[in-house]
Amino acid sequence: MRRALALLMLFCLLTFGSAAGAAPASLAAPAPAAPELAVRLQALLAEHAVLAADLMRSRIRGDADFAQAADAALGHNTDAMATLMRQLFGAGMVRDFAPLWSEHVVELVAYASAIAAQDETAKAHAKAELSEYEEELSRFFAGASHGRLSTAAAHHALDMHVRHLTGQADAYAAHDYATADRDYREGYQHMYELGGTLADALLPARDRAALREPIWRLRSRLGELLAEHVVLVEDVTRAAVTNTPDFDAAAAMINANTRDVTAAMDTLFGAGVARRFQDVWGFHVEQLVGYSAALAGADTAGLTGAKTNLHGYEDRMGALLSEVTGKRMNAAALAGAFRGHDDLLLRHADAYAARDYTAAHDLAEKAYQHGFDMARELADAFGATVAARLPVGGAQTGYGGLAGTGR
């Protein structure tokens, strides 16, 4: 995973360098509509995966209040996806897509309910219905792509999606939290990737070409990592607030995300900057988890200490990123953005601790979107910074001797 990430980031930057190094002002030009929407599609599909997993787990736990709020959040996600796909691909496609998509959500919930009821017959029926959905939706996507996406490839991707969700539900019910959370994270990553595959297959040629431009790939990749950070922080703070036995597994997943974000910084700016970044970034994750543990223990001093430490982190991270981007980003503005990020996550933990699950899901949605907004700003500044270090005419000179390394 770490090596694949490094190679992808290097590819993006080397290719991006030939354009941005020659004309950095182009970064400020208005973004094409289709790539923006395509990245949004990736975000919504990945969010669907974690919302569906959360809903299935609540069914297994028998947590009716959380299930109701999670179901509403998943409904909002489905509505947003239908609206977005209408913008991207037209009303005719959405008319056929929407009922198929809703059907698979219903069957995923039925599968989790069958686990909770220990009803093997109902579980088998839900699984059969999900298989039927996979076949129908595969044919639908393959037809809409006019041959650019095969039915077999679409079926493989959708089957993997269902396997991640049913697998994490089975593991969660069996108290195998390491497997459950590994599937949880892989499910998010898989659906994010699937969003890119669908956009590449279904968009017109001109939009597909724009989507493959390095700047959009960099924005997409950073968006995936930062939004995943939000999702996994919320997962581990839920476990901390409720002191549930899946805490260690959830902590392992957020640590894995931290390693991936650090690997991206290593690729972009080198090992020295990556080490400094990891120290600061890891500290802020520890404070968020510490805040949640203090909530669980009604530890007022712990709550205050975590908040104070986070304010210090926000300033340090703002200063660090401003420095490494050659002041392309303002340190104070960055600190403010990270403060907004932390505020949403702390309020999410507060709401969860108060069992106000509707508010918790609303805050989670805002934090998720905030992660993407930050990723776009960071990607633009990171790309321009690295591109400025590359030799002029990199594409013609073999990228300073790196040709073939990341391409």
Side-chain angles (χ1 to χ4, degrees), residues 88-165:
L88 276 169
F89 311 123
M93 178 178 174
V94 175
R95 190 168 47 247
D96 297 329
F97 164 81
L100 285 173
W101 192 256
S102 296
E103 179 186 342
H104 106 282
V105 172
V106 169
E107 295 304 332
L108 287 169
V109 175
Y111 185 88
S113 298
I115 291 175
Q118 299 182 337
D119 185 340
E120 291 299 324
T121 301
K123 187 177 172 183
H125 177 75
K127 204 159 193 174
E129 290 292 319
L130 285 167
S131 294
E132 185 178 328
Y133 137 80
E134 291 171 13
E135 293 175 4
E136 291 177 0
L137 202 53
S138 301
R139 289 194 294 271
F140 169 76
F141 282 132
S145 76
H146 303 290
R148 289 189 291 274
L149 179 67
S150 70
T151 303
H155 186 272
H156 175 75
L158 293 168
D159 182 63
M160 185 67 72
H161 167 57
V162 170
R163 285 177 184 272
H164 281 137
L165 287 174

Side-chain angles (χ1 to χ4, degrees), residues 236-237 239-243 247 286-307 346 349-350 353:
V236 74
T237 54
V241 164
T242 51
N243 194 26
F247 174 80
E286 290 173 5
Q287 300 312 308
L288 291 168
V289 174
Y291 180 88
S292 302
L295 273 176
D299 177 3
T300 304
L303 294 173
T304 302
K307 282 186 175 180
L346 294 180
D350 289 339

Side-chain angles (χ1 to χ4, degrees), residues 263-326:
M265 294 299 290
D266 192 333
T267 302
L268 291 163
F269 301 111
V273 169
R275 280 194 295 272
R276 293 170 60 195
F277 174 86
Q278 184 172 24
D279 287 344
V280 182
W281 188 258
F283 178 78
H284 116 274
V285 172
E286 290 173 5
Q287 300 312 308
L288 291 168
V289 174
Y291 180 88
S292 302
L295 273 176
D299 177 3
T300 304
L303 294 173
T304 302
K307 282 186 175 180
T308 301
N309 290 336
L310 281 170
H311 289 329
Y313 141 78
E314 291 148 7
D315 292 337
R316 291 201 304 279
M317 183 58 81
L320 174 62
L321 295 184
S322 179
E323 175 194 331
V324 301
T325 58

Side-chain angles (χ1 to χ4, degrees), residues 18-44:
S18 63
S26 65
L27 288 175
E36 185 81 56
L37 295 174
V39 173
R40 178 68 178 150
L41 176 63
Q42 291 183 284
L44 287 174

